[in-house]
Amino acid sequence: MASGPLDDTVDALFSRWHATRDPSARAALIERHLPLARSLARRYRYTPQPLEDLEQVASLALVKAVDRFDPAWGSAFAAYAIPTILGELKHHMRDESWALHVPRALKERVLIVERAERLLSVRLGHAPTVQQLAVEAGMSGEQILEALAARVAHDALPLEPPDASSSDPEPPAVDPALAIPDDFPDTVVDRLLVSNALQRLPERERTILRLRFTEGLTQTEIAERVGLSQMYVSRLLRATLERLRADIE
């Protein structure tokens, strides 16, 4: 007796993929959602990154999302896939900016502090203080704070799209069922990627941290950029680092 046609809805494909690991179901899920991944990649076509690279990052993130998603969670796949893909895109662009703008010595210091942080967290059973990190990493408290601020500023590198009125080619069509509002990335992904300590800082202080530790500007260059005196920028940086110290400890 011939079997009837297979159900090709997203829910049915995921059920088949999880129950039988049918590669055709996995391939169908990826193919069906590729327009969504490409559409999300095109949100960042204004950046220096080639669109082809962005689409590749988004496509690989989609594959990860398909492999990791569990229908038992009771949520729609798109609700999981969208922040996953956007998170990978933002990580990719932040890493590219990090490689271009942050001095090598500071990047190496961040890596040393992160390694010390992981070791101490396991050893102590809680997040280490700045002083404990300084002892473990063999650095001064000020150097630890600079490394932490650089990492936080790097994580918060703004990736906002330009005004939607710009005349760009139409993005690929996306299934209306997968459509998302323009502000979705900020309301979801930023919660996932930006640290609580930085979120509590005023916008001006976040900007100054980003300019200093992500773009590598001097205090004089920052002062010119934000319209303040170099002395005031210096005071703001020190006060902001102290505030981060208080939040971290």
Side-chain angles (χ1 to χ4, degrees):
M1 180 176 176
S3 60
L6 293 174
D7 187 349
D8 66 349
T9 63
V10 170
D11 288 345
L13 288 169
F14 266 115
S15 295
R16 196 159 86 240
W17 166 235
H18 274 261
T20 68
R21 311 312 284 180
D22 179 358
S24 65
R26 179 177 182 265
L29 286 164
I30 293 169
E31 183 178 1
R32 182 168 299 187
H33 291 89
L34 272 176
L36 172 64
R38 291 171 181 149
S39 177
L40 293 171
R42 287 184 64 85
R43 286 172 173 253
Y44 302 104
R45 61 190 178 275
Y46 65 92
T47 69
Q49 294 300 307
L51 180 59
E52 182 179 350
D53 289 356
L54 296 175
E55 289 183 343
Q56 182 177 12
V57 170
S59 298
L60 291 173
L62 170 63
V63 173
K64 289 181 184 178
V66 168
D67 288 343
R68 295 172 181 172
F69 179 72
D70 187 345
W73 294 340
S75 59
F77 172 65
Y80 175 75
I82 289 167
T84 298
I85 295 168
L86 288 169
E88 290 288 337
L89 285 166
K90 288 194 172 188
H91 273 309
H92 171 75
M93 288 181 286
R94 287 181 177 124
D95 287 345
E96 289 297 315
S97 174
W98 176 260
L100 288 172
H101 296 295
V102 177
R104 181 180 180 85
L106 183 53
K107 283 189 286 187
E108 291 175 349
R109 195 188 309 164
V110 170
L111 294 175
I112 293 171
V113 171
E114 287 180 339
R115 185 162 56 247
E117 189 175 34
R118 288 194 298 270
L119 290 171
L120 285 173
S121 294
V122 172
R123 189 186 307 161
L124 301 173
H126 58 77
T129 65
V130 170
Q131 188 57 42
Q132 288 169 332
L133 283 171
V135 172
E136 180 71 22
M139 299 180 187
S140 68
E142 189 72 19
Q143 287 175 318
I144 295 293
L145 284 170
E146 285 185 350
L148 293 172
R151 185 178 66 181
V152 169
H154 161 254
D155 286 344
L157 181 66
L159 296 168
E160 305 304 326
D163 192 290
S165 62
S166 60
S167 56
D168 286 310
E170 283 294 315
V174 179
D175 185 340
L178 300 178
I180 55 174
D182 287 340
D183 62 352
F184 185 85
D186 298 325
T187 58
V188 175
V189 178
D190 284 353
R191 267 204 310 273
L192 300 174
L193 300 178
V194 182
S195 74
N196 290 332
L198 192 65
Q199 283 181 321
R200 286 192 286 269
L201 292 176
E203 177 66 25
R204 181 180 61 182
E205 278 76 350
R206 290 202 304 269
T207 298
I208 289 174
L209 281 179
R210 174 175 58 80
L211 294 174
R212 178 68 185 90
F213 296 113
T214 298
E215 298 189 18
L217 271 60
T218 65
Q219 291 184 9
T220 300
E221 290 169 332
I222 295 171
E224 293 174 355
R225 181 79 66 88
V226 300
L228 298 171
S229 70
Q230 184 273 329
M231 185 176 297
Y232 192 54
V233 167
S234 177
R235 286 202 298 266
L236 274 177
L237 274 171
R238 182 168 294 277
T240 302
L241 290 173
E242 287 300 325
R243 179 168 176 175
L244 285 174
R245 184 202 295 271
D247 282 347
I248 293 166
E249 294 184 336

